[in-house]
Amino acid sequence: MIGRVPWPRSLASQIALLIAMALLAAQLVNFAMIYQGRNQLRLQTVVAPAVTRYVDTVERLAHGTLPDQDPRARAQLRADNPVDPRGPHRPEIERAIIAGLQETGVGPVRVQTEVRPINANDPRIRHFGRHRSAHFLRMGAELIVAMQIPGRGWLVMTTPWPRSDSGIVSHLLAQTLILYAIILIPVLWGARQISRPLQQLAKAAREFRPGQDNVEIIERGPPDVRAVIGAYNALRLRVTAMLEEKDRMLGAIGHDLRTPLAALRVRIESVDDESDRARMIDTIEEMNRTLDDILSLARLGRPSEAKVDVDLAALVDAVVEDFRDIGSNVTFAESDRLTMQLRPSLMRRAVRNLIENAVKYAGAASVSLDRTADTATIIITDNGPGIPEAQMQAVFDPFTRLETSRNRDTGGIGLGLALAQAIVREAGGQITIANRPEGGLAAKITLPRNVGN
């Protein structure tokens, strides 16, 4: 099976290809017109002289003015037909001569043609004259036209005829190549000059990270390209300013909310009923955790924590130990040291959210670390009820919870997995979850080994 021809992806190559196709189409039209005109010229140079010669010969024969001693007349007027009916012939010329004779009033005439090769050893060449013989040899063939004169034999004419049309084809091919060289090389150069600033713009847009030092792109190229680059530079500044304003606003909101929560936490200590006091304290702690999740998710695009070399195995083991300290049934399969560049606090939070999700819904979790030459994968498995396939992706949406009871033990507002996914994506990795064949759920954090480099 023949595959599809790949279409060029770069701007320069697409422009060059379109111009090349347009040039090729123009050359094909030019070739068709030249070829048709050449055939018409050949037809006229053969048909008109043949009709004139035939009419003149017939009239001279009728008036007895054609001397039998004329060598040229004897060569042209023969008793037998010299045309080989099996040889290559030109039916369009035969039809045109017959039509021309009929227009002059001459009745139906038998006309036959044959294209016959000619070489330098042909004895007739010596009698053609220098110019005509050179023309014959250059053509490589001759066209024999035999027209029957009733009762008198056959009137025979010869004219140079090209053996093939390879000459015109090679001429047009050379012309096309020259056009390609003259036009496509400057077009490719100009298109690359235009596309280079656009490529730099695309690279800058892909690598744009709020909060990082993003160098302003130099405006160059045609006016339209410079206008696009200028618009991007202005947009980059506006986005950065908006994110900074958002961070200031979130910081103020967090401060304004934590202050009354802290005051409530102090006042709760004066509540006499221990059961009520414990429920109030849990409610305030849940509000603080929710506030932390919301602020962390909102600020993730501009993390304040720098990337450092971290032992991923030690990081995961420390998170598992935190769960063990509070009595959760979480195990970790020991793993060798694996140093990577990460934001440790954020990655701990992502791993903690996944383990916490497993503990909430299954009561226990098993954690392991797998590695390949290119990736490191943190695997969290549980024996819980799993997730319906139709909702497998929905659990990563903010404020989405499959458990809707609002029970304190399985509470939350559905930000844990969304925050974990945002953290892992910011680190260049991905989170996948899948139901296990033996029951339960398997969540995987896959990180590139060269992350941060």
Side-chain angles (χ1 to χ4, degrees), residues 382-397:
D382 63 59
N383 296 316
I387 297 176
E389 293 294 334
Q391 297 179 302
M392 196 66 72
Q393 293 301 320
V395 296
F396 289 107
D397 296 336

Side-chain angles (χ1 to χ4, degrees), residues 263-272 276-278 280-281 284:
L264 283 175
R265 179 67 177 81
V266 172
R267 292 181 182 180
I268 286 172
E269 296 298 332
S270 62
V271 175
D272 295 331
D276 287 344
R277 185 169 62 250
M280 292 178 183
I281 292 174
I284 291 178

Side-chain angles (χ1 to χ4, degrees), residues 131 155 178 186 198 209 241 330 342 355 391 397 403:
H131 178 73
L155 180 63
I178 293 173
L198 293 177
R209 297 292 183 274
V330 181
L342 299 169
I355 296 176
Q391 297 179 302
D397 296 336
E403 200 280 322

Side-chain angles (χ1 to χ4, degrees), residues 59-77:
E59 289 180 352
R60 294 175 68 183
L61 286 172
H63 292 86
T65 59
L66 184 66
D68 293 338
Q69 294 79 16
D70 187 349
R72 184 176 181 185
R74 289 200 305 270
Q76 292 181 346
L77 191 59

